[in-house]
Amino acid sequence: MSTEVASPRRSRKRRVILIIVTVFVAVGTFVAIWIGVRGSMARSELLDSVPLAHRIQTAAIEGKASTASADVTQLQTKSARAMELTSDPVWRAAEVIPGIGPNLVAVRESAALVHEVAVSGIPPLITLANTVNAHQLVPHDGTFDLGLFTKAAPSLAVAKDALDRARTHALAIDAEGTIEPVQSAVTSLVTLVDTTASTVDGISTAATLLPTMLGADGPRSYLLLSLNSAELRTPGGIPGAIAVIHANNGVLSLDQRTSATALGRAKAPVLPLSDAEMALYDERLGTYMQNVVSTPDFKRSGELAQAMWKLKTGMTVDGIVAIDPVALGYILRATGPVDVGSGVTLTSDNAVSFLLSTVYAQIPDTTAQDEFFAGTTRSIFAVLTKGSLDAPKLVEALAQSASENRIHIWSANADEEKVLSTSTLAGALPKSTAKTTAFGVYLNDATGAKMDVYLRNAITISSAICRADNRPNYKVGVKLTLDAPLDSATVLPSYVTGRYAFGVEPGRVRTNVYVYAPPGAAPFSVKVNGKELAFASATLDGHPVVGSVVEMGPSETVSIVFQFVGKAGDARELSLQHTPMTSTVPTSLNGKVDCSNL
């Protein structure tokens, strides 16, 4: 029996391997501890930064610069520390490690984002707060101090540009595939930056435009369209009550209240309609005030409304403003309860339900309804312009309304409209970017009733590359449910259920559903409840548009699936613009199309 003795060469090789393994383990352990400790410290700094940012934003709007200054210094210190902790060579080297790397990249970019906002976006707001606050920017006794807007504009413009850049950087952070705490933190930060940027964007746009729009250079007049979401149109509802707002050197007054119904029908479209507009919306787009907002292009709606008002009254207004009842409810948070007459007090809690449902039961006569809505407009206008309201809450309400596409403004002045077109108030068509491919889903009632307060909507959009030519496939799913009483036809007022205006049985709802696809896309399929249907399409302002008409009764659900082939090179991330409704519209974007079912 012999014993094998390891050769010196083999022993040295084993020692070398052992040393190498030991070094790798040691380095790996060091990196793990280093990253873990510094990541935990950075996370703590970032979490502390979020409430600081909220406090600063609130203090800046309220004009409390002294309160905010200490928080700004603290935010800058914490964000700088978080950025330092996540930018050292060890951290950057670990970003290439599969599975771990995307989390480290997302945390580093989030820290850089917070620091960018702290250094560039917030200081101009503090400068502004030292001179002007939200309380001064609202009207008092029916008058705006226009000089304050001019004074505020420079600081707001600097803050707007900085926050717009930060929003672009925020949306570029890729949290897909990261662990839940990282993904949640990134989502919170992106939401905070996006909300802040939207708020400042709205205030900055107002500061730029309001002096001239409110009559600094001469009298102006605007048509106010109160949208009724119980009968849907693309921006949130059918125009109901109508009023004219006069502005002269900041002094506001309300005049000439009527209703869209009272204006009646024009004998022919008030402006020439394109073939695509005729195919999608027919001539009623240009003959009824109720239908000028059928299109998602509010600039076009404004032009049509202006022309129709001139035809009916001989008056040329300088712009159009549209607001839906949900936005009105938000505004009532700032005004507090408002007595609108007829023994009715509107609050932020009851405004939507009363204006879209209860009023029809309490005031069945349509003429009396019009008078009530006109009186409501007058009462709320008086409270808003008096000045005794919570200005920060008003800013918050207007920002939320604009972000949800519930307020739209069009100016007949080309220079003003150019500024408006870049804001959330424009009501523009969905716009794709290098980062996102944009879709629009819009609803227009075809019942001639007020049943849409019971309509519920959910939207899903999916995509995948299923073709050899790398053109993406898109599926847009729209699920509509009529959450109305089963006996709607008998228990609801006839004005709500309809009077067979378009051949729809009382209690049922017919809806036109439109999908605006990105330029270059081609529609190829529409299925309703799984059944393939023939469809018509048109191209409007470069967007392929497909429409489908569906009908349902109480408790029924209709599912519509629109399919498109996009153009090669479309951004993989999807975005959506849709008709705002009285209830939340659940959306699911960036799902995957099952290529095997195509």
Side-chain angles (χ1 to χ4, degrees), residues 463-540:
S463 67
I465 303 294
C466 301
R467 298 161 53 97
D469 61 5
N470 289 323
R471 295 179 66 187
N473 280 82
Y474 298 115
K475 279 189 177 181
V476 180
V478 180
K479 186 169 74 172
L480 298 176
T481 300
L482 187 59
D483 188 19
L486 291 174
D487 52 356
S488 293
T490 56
V491 301
L492 296 178
S494 61
Y495 186 71
V496 174
T497 60
R499 303 185 178 100
Y500 292 98
F502 298 101
V504 181
E505 292 183 12
R508 296 180 64 79
V509 165
R510 183 182 293 162
T511 305
N512 291 316
V513 183
Y514 297 95
V515 174
Y516 277 61
F524 69 90
S525 172
V526 175
K527 292 182 179 179
V528 177
N529 289 338
K531 182 180 179 181
E532 191 85 36
L533 296 180
F535 64 90
S537 65
T539 300
L540 193 57

Side-chain angles (χ1 to χ4, degrees), residues 73-291:
T73 300
Q74 192 176 2
L75 177 63
Q76 290 174 341
T77 301
K78 286 184 172 295
S79 62
R81 178 61 175 155
M83 192 167 65
E84 175 191 347
L85 288 166
T86 58
S87 299
D88 64 90
V90 175
W91 186 286
R92 295 300 295 264
E95 289 181 358
V96 302
I97 301 174
I100 298 175
N103 295 280
L104 302 184
V105 172
V107 172
R108 173 174 56 79
E109 291 179 342
S110 296
L113 172 67
V114 174
H115 191 60
E116 178 184 7
V117 172
V119 171
S120 302
I122 289 178
L125 296 180
I126 303 307
T127 300
L128 173 67
N130 278 313
T131 55
V132 179
N133 62 60
H135 298 287
Q136 298 170 299
L137 296 177
V138 300
H140 294 273
D141 296 324
T143 304
F144 281 96
D145 185 344
L146 300 183
L148 288 174
F149 288 97
T150 303
K151 190 176 181 180
S155 293
L156 283 168
V158 174
K160 175 186 178 298
D161 289 344
L163 288 167
D164 282 346
R165 289 193 299 272
R167 175 161 49 184
T168 299
H169 296 161
L171 296 174
I173 298 175
D174 186 4
E176 186 175 353
T178 60
I179 59 177
E180 196 283 329
V182 171
Q183 196 169 65
S184 176
V186 169
T187 300
S188 296
L189 287 173
V190 170
T191 300
L192 174 61
V193 171
D194 187 51
T195 302
T196 304
S198 295
T199 300
V200 172
D201 179 48
I203 300 174
S204 178
T205 300
T208 301
L209 294 177
L210 280 180
T212 56
M213 291 188 72
L214 294 182
D217 299 331
R220 293 286 190 92
S221 59
Y222 300 93
L223 203 62
L224 174 63
L225 307 180
S226 298
L227 304 181
N228 188 332
S229 301
E231 188 172 349
L232 284 174
R233 290 295 184 271
T234 290
I238 197 169
I242 298 176
V244 175
I245 298 175
H246 294 290
N248 188 8
N249 200 28
V251 179
L252 301 182
S253 60
L254 195 67
D255 188 22
Q256 206 162 344
R257 294 172 295 278
T258 183
S259 69
T261 302
L263 292 179
R265 173 181 177 273
K267 294 180 179 179
V270 292
L271 294 175
L273 301 180
S274 68
D275 291 342
E277 288 174 329
M278 287 292 292
L280 293 169
Y281 305 112
D282 71 44
E283 70 169 12
R284 285 176 289 186
L285 176 67
T287 56
Y288 286 95
M289 185 65 85
Q290 295 96 322
N291 284 350

